[in-house]
Amino acid sequence: LVWLSVYNCQSLTDFGISRLAKRCPLLSSVDISYCSGLSDVSVTSLAQKCLQLTSLTCYDCGWLTDVAITSLARHCPQLTAVNFTYCGALTDASIMSLAEGCPQLTSVNLSTCKQLSDASVTSIATHCHRLASVSFHGCSKLTDGAVMALAEQCPRLTSVSFTSCDRISSVAIADFNRRC
């Protein structure tokens, strides 16, 4: 088994994911979006047992914290795509760790991760030079500095969203457009 989606499986538990990770070490793509019965234990198990993991989607997993993201950074350097939309407990510390530990990232969606600041975006831009797609929709702490970091360091970008990032100015977006 290399691909698994258990999207919206409300009865799924950490035990089930941990057992699956142990028995399916070749998993490369996992979607555990809307699985409210899980915790950091599940993502940590996937990170530690599924060393081929390249894509992880955790949409609306409010239980996801820096503990799990740091584990991914430590064990999954080949990650290319992550989606942590609506994972509001994540902070700059784990996203910076993820960027440093997973330089192969090409797609990053951190929409509505409201605790994140320019430090996260700058770290992603600095370490993930293959980045093609990013979304920071609703990351209200981001400023023009985040836009400029991506413009200066990520020449492969083809898709960018700063929708509802109220601190980003039209001047920064115009400058971004000129650089890309």
Side-chain angles (χ1 to χ4, degrees), residues 31-158:
D31 184 346
I32 54 175
S33 300
Y34 297 103
C35 292
S36 60
L38 303 182
S39 74
D40 285 337
V41 170
S42 290
V43 173
T44 299
S45 293
L46 289 167
Q48 292 174 346
K49 305 285 190 227
C50 302
L51 302 180
Q52 304 302 312
L53 196 63
T54 59
S55 176
L56 180 62
T57 301
C58 300
Y59 192 101
D60 201 14
C61 295
W63 47 263
L64 191 67
T65 72
D66 289 349
V67 171
I69 304 307
T70 301
S71 185
L72 285 169
R74 200 174 301 131
H75 299 287
C76 300
Q78 71 289 346
L79 268 176
T80 59
V82 293
N83 184 339
F84 301 134
T85 300
Y86 285 112
C87 296
L90 301 183
T91 70
D92 288 333
S94 66
I95 300 305
M96 291 166 66
S97 178
L98 183 73
E100 291 172 23
C102 304
Q104 306 302 316
L105 285 169
T106 59
S107 177
V108 174
N109 191 334
L110 298 171
S111 295
T112 61
C113 292
K114 294 185 182 268
Q115 294 188 58
L116 303 183
S117 73
D118 290 355
S120 288
V121 180
T122 299
S123 186
I124 291 167
T126 300
H127 298 287
C128 305
H129 296 286
R130 295 181 179 172
L131 207 55
S133 174
V134 292
S135 181
F136 300 105
H137 170 90
C139 294
S140 55
K141 290 185 178 181
L142 299 185
T143 70
D144 291 354
V147 176
M148 297 319 299
L150 289 172
E152 292 168 0
Q153 299 184 59
C154 298
R156 296 183 185 187
L157 279 173
T158 58

Side-chain angles (χ1 to χ4, degrees), residues 12-32:
L12 192 61
T13 65
D14 290 332
F15 176 78
I17 291 292
S18 296
R19 190 169 174 158
L20 180 81
K22 184 177 180 181
R23 293 188 175 187
C24 301
L26 298 179
L27 275 173
S28 63
S29 181
V30 177
D31 184 346
I32 54 175

